[in-house]
Every structure is written in C-alpha cells, then in structure tokens.
Amino acid sequence: MTNENLLGIHHVTAMTDDAVRNYEFFTNVLGMRLVKKTVNQDDIHTYHTFFADDVGSPGTDMTFFDFPNNPKGSPGSNSIYRTAFRVPSDAALEYYRDRFDQFEVKHEGIQDLFDKKVLPFEEADGQKYQLVSDENNTGVAPGKPWKNGPVPEDKAIYGLGPIEIHVSYYEDFKQVLMDVYDMKPIAEEADVTLLDVGEGGNGGQVILRKDESSSASQGYGEVHHVSFRVADHDVIKKWEEKYNERGMRHSGNVDRFYFEALYTRIGHILVELSTDGPGFMDDEPYETLGESLALPPFLEERREYIEAQVRPFDTTRSK
C-alpha cells in the first residue's frame, strides 16, 4: 500500500431544511456530538455544522449546510443516495429501533445487506440514512462514542458506515472507483457492488447501485458530497498531480483550517479528498466543542458581520 492510498471515509456533507431541527435530531435522538458550529466558507450566510464522535475523529463526521431559500431536493439516480452510521453491535441496532419508535422516526426495521445487519431510517426532511452493525466487522477502526450523549456508550454511533451511491452509468462509474481510487470490489449482486476503500470494513466501503430512474434534484434532504481520507498535505498534493495527469478537473488544494480538501466531480457525484488533520480540537476546549460560533482565522475579522447574518441558535450543553 503506497503512501497516497485512501484511508477510508472522511465525512459526508448534506443539506438540511433547518439547522436547529437538524441539531436537535442529531444530538438528542441519534446521540452524535456537535463538534463544530461554523459557516460555509464559500457562502458565509450559511451554517456549516459538524456532528461526529466524542472528539471529532476523521471518519465520523456528518456535516450540514442550511442554504437560505434552498428548495426541497428529490431522491433519485446519479446521487449519493444514503449515508450510513456505524454502531457496535446487532444489539445496538435493536436499541435504536426502539429509540426510533419512541421518537417517531420513520424507519424500515432491521434488515440484511451484504451479510451486515442494517437499519434504514429517514430524517424529517427526507434525508436517507441507515445504521450498520459492526458485529464481526474488521477494517477501518471506529471513533469514540460521545461520552456525555443521551445514548449509552456501548450502543452509540461512533463512525460513518458504507456510503451508498446510485448511478445510471454503473459500469463506467465502478471502473473510475477502481482505476482512480483503487477501490476493491469485494461482493457483487445484481446491479449492486460493495467496494472496499483503504483498510475496508464498515468505515471504508462504498455501495454502488445501478439505477436508471430519473436523476435526483439537489436541495435540502439530499447529500452535497462525500469525502475520503488521506493522511496529510503531501498526500493531497500527490492527488492533485494524479488528477492533472489523468486530465481530471479539480479545485486545487483548499485549506479549510480543520483539514485540507481537494474536490473533483465524477459524473454527477462531487468527491472530496480530505486530510486527517489538523482536526477540530485546536480552536475550542473539549468540554465546550460546538457550543459557540467557530470561525477560521481568515474569517475572524468578519465575525461581527457574520454573526449578524446567520440566525443564532443555542447549542450550549455544558451548563
């Protein structure tokens, strides 16, 4: 394995209809920790919230934009269709199934998928997810469950699981995942392939489905992009060179302060590569992560303006 190989899933970014409702769902129902409340660096009128494990480990982040006046999206092909979250065991799935019933969360019951137990569910705005059991799982290590969250640590979500992508150009897309990103098909059924990323396992997998229905429309309730992990700055620069050699258009390396990022588009799918560091712990104390509006240094001088533009909402939990 060369130095520039992908290490697994880094984060998924989606669009929400309401940052406050979304925060309450992720913290109070799912039991994921808000580790950063900041703004979209490309659109400072928009919140960017990061939900993760106890310390914001790479591979555990689900993040959201709440673009003003964003229309409702519609699910379909040529999209990142469903995000998954890892839980420690089959018993944890049963715990969440009962919890979803208690909180009236729409779900489809516990199912089997590629020899894994999964629990598909939806958020109020239609965003599609599933929990996946780590029972008998190997590969990419999980994060650390939120110590002070509402879900017991032995049941709680502690990482991202396999990312489900639907495309109409199934064979071509699969070839790109294999040739460019060195993903390895490990199981195939009719019109669906499970591919390993890096060390594989639930924290490093993509589920690719052939879907010839109409294409999804972007908007709230839909995923914006997926990001895969790379080690550091040197590796992301190597990926810039690799994209250039293949004639693939890309963003160039973007310093997001919490990590470095490189974006490209494969057909309809926006794919990001992100460095594991520096991470989310440098600009806020562990005890109060996500409780105030965090801004990277290059936006700090505009704090007064930004705070006047975004709708304030209280995320204090350390009282």
Side-chain angles (χ1 to χ4, degrees):
M1 183 178 285
T2 63
N3 187 33
E4 61 213 73
N5 277 53
L6 304 184
L7 304 177
I9 304 158
H10 190 281
H11 69 266
V12 173
T13 296
M15 293 166 284
T16 180
D17 64 333
D18 186 330
V20 178
R21 182 201 52 72
N22 175 253
Y23 161 74
E24 291 171 349
F25 179 68
F26 265 77
T27 55
N28 297 336
V29 180
L30 297 186
M32 293 178 68
R33 187 177 189 190
L34 179 69
V35 295
K36 201 62 57 182
K37 179 175 66 175
T38 184
V39 293
N40 181 341
Q41 295 175 13
D42 303 315
D43 178 4
I44 59 173
H45 301 86
T46 300
Y47 273 116
H48 194 182
T49 47
F50 292 74
F51 301 92
D53 72 348
D54 194 54
V55 293
S57 305
T60 72
D61 306 351
M62 181 78 199
T63 93
F64 289 91
F65 298 137
D66 74 331
F67 294 115
N69 306 312
N70 198 22
K72 179 172 174 54
S74 60
S77 186
N78 303 322
S79 68
I80 300 165
Y81 190 80
R82 191 184 298 272
T83 306
F85 303 114
R86 299 167 66 180
V87 294
S89 64
D90 294 353
L93 287 185
E94 294 170 4
Y95 171 88
Y96 272 100
R97 178 193 59 202
D98 296 344
R99 187 172 182 83
F100 290 166
D101 287 341
Q102 176 190 347
F103 284 94
E104 300 182 338
V105 175
K106 183 179 178 182
H107 69 85
E108 299 175 31
I110 297 171
Q111 304 176 7
D112 290 299
L113 178 65
F114 287 117
D115 297 322
K116 312 170 191 288
K117 295 287 187 188
V118 298
L119 175 58
F121 67 100
E122 285 187 23
E123 194 173 351
D125 62 4
Q127 190 77 236
K128 295 179 183 296
Y129 310 102
Q130 62 190 359
L131 300 181
V132 57
S133 168
D134 266 0
E135 192 123 345
N136 304 317
N137 181 63
T138 57
V140 175
K144 302 174 181 178
W146 184 14
K147 289 179 182 175
N148 296 315
V151 175
E153 287 183 57
D154 65 337
K155 302 290 194 301
I157 291 168
Y158 61 177
L160 289 170
I163 305 305
E164 185 171 334
I165 299 175
H166 289 201
V167 289
S168 56
Y169 35 93
Y170 175 72
E171 293 296 340
D172 290 344
F173 196 91
K174 180 163 61 172
Q175 204 62 48
V176 172
L177 295 184
M178 294 162 59
D179 293 348
V180 177
Y181 298 103
D182 198 31
M183 296 189 191
K184 304 284 194 296
I186 59 167
E188 297 201 44
E189 298 173 2
D191 296 335
V192 58
T193 302
L194 179 68
L195 301 104
D196 265 355
V197 185
E199 294 180 13
N202 288 337
Q205 287 180 338
V206 168
I207 299 167
L208 181 66
R209 288 189 186 274
K210 183 177 182 179
D211 183 348
E212 295 180 328
S213 67
S214 58
S215 292
S217 64
Q218 285 276 284
Y220 70 78
E222 291 293 300
V223 172
H224 190 272
H225 65 267
V226 61
S227 179
F228 297 101
R229 293 170 56 198
V230 298
D232 54 30
H233 172 79
D234 291 342
V235 177
I236 216 164
K237 295 302 285 185
K238 287 182 181 178
W239 275 95
E240 269 193 88
E241 293 172 14
K242 187 171 184 174
Y243 284 164
N244 288 338
E245 288 166 3
R246 288 179 170 268
M248 296 171 64
R249 296 179 64 183
H250 61 84
S251 63
N253 187 26
V254 182
D255 184 354
R256 295 297 191 193
F257 183 62
Y258 303 111
F259 48 84
E260 295 176 50
L262 177 65
Y263 303 84
T264 191
R265 196 173 286 278
I266 312 297
H268 294 73
I269 310 301
L270 184 58
V271 174
E272 177 183 347
L273 304 180
S274 304
T275 57
D276 272 0
F280 297 104
M281 301 289 285
D282 289 351
D283 62 340
E284 291 182 292
Y286 165 82
E287 293 77 14
T288 56
L289 282 177
E291 294 192 4
S292 58
L293 183 66
L295 295 175
F298 61 88
L299 289 178
E300 189 60 51
E301 64 184 24
R302 302 179 69 189
R303 175 176 288 277
E304 187 175 342
Y305 171 77
I306 291 169
E307 288 184 341
Q309 296 301 309
V310 293
R311 177 173 51 131
F313 73 101
D314 185 7
T315 53
T316 308
R317 301 187 73 91
S318 60
K319 296 172 184 174

